[in-house]
Amino acid sequence: MKKEMKHAQVNTLEKVDLVFFPIVASGHYYLLCINFMKGSLELIDNRLLDNKISFVQKYKNHPRTLLRAFATFYATFHSTKNKNMFEEICNFKTKTLKMKWRSNDNYDDCGVYLLKHMETYHGEKDIVWENGLQLNNVDQIEHDGIKKKLKNAMVFLM
């Protein structure tokens, strides 16, 4: 984390609003976002939770484990300030964002959705968040050139 902060020229996390953690688990990509503005850990997943499985069955304890690890890092990194931040961060509630484009119709592009979520999410309410994605439009990623744009952006960043 320190290496990433140095690369991004970030010296402190005290004024950071959102911290993104891309997650890959069981071949599926989703995003965890620590939202300091709301005091929450937000789970951002383009897929709906299937009625046949529980939150814990799908995500295991990954969200809480990540939050605790981040709280430990934060408390260590800012050891002289905000001594209560470890407990405060650990007490952030986990919230699954319910974006209007979530669907189980597309099984192939969760990585593209993850990148689009990181690009466009700024902490707004899930019901007003606009990123150009539409419900049940499985062809939009190809037709709108989203994959190509993201691929070009990734090449540029490398």
Side-chain angles (χ1 to χ4, degrees), residues 106-143:
N106 186 328
Y107 286 86
D108 301 321
D109 296 316
C110 54
V112 175
Y113 279 94
L114 178 141
L115 292 170
K116 189 70 172 172
H117 293 156
M118 288 177 66
E119 175 189 35
T120 60
Y121 185 61
H122 304 287
E124 62 270 40
K125 288 187 175 218
D126 47 6
I127 58 173
V128 298
W129 177 16
E130 291 291 335
N131 68 1
L133 297 171
Q134 301 167 356
L135 177 64
N136 294 328
N137 188 348
V138 295
D139 296 326
Q140 70 186 338
I141 289 178
E142 291 294 340
H143 290 261

Side-chain angles (χ1 to χ4, degrees), residues 77-94:
F77 190 75
H78 295 292
S79 60
T80 59
K81 303 174 186 171
N82 300 325
K83 294 185 186 227
N84 297 326
M85 281 306 287
F86 174 82
E87 287 298 323
E88 187 175 326
I89 293 171
C90 283
N91 287 324
F92 282 7
K93 299 292 183 211
T94 302

Side-chain angles (χ1 to χ4, degrees), residues 17 46 55 57 60 65 96 114 116 119 123-124 131:
D17 292 332
N46 66 293
F55 180 92
Q57 287 173 310
K60 314 285 185 249
T65 301
T96 302
L114 178 141
K116 189 70 172 172
E119 175 189 35
E124 62 270 40
N131 68 1

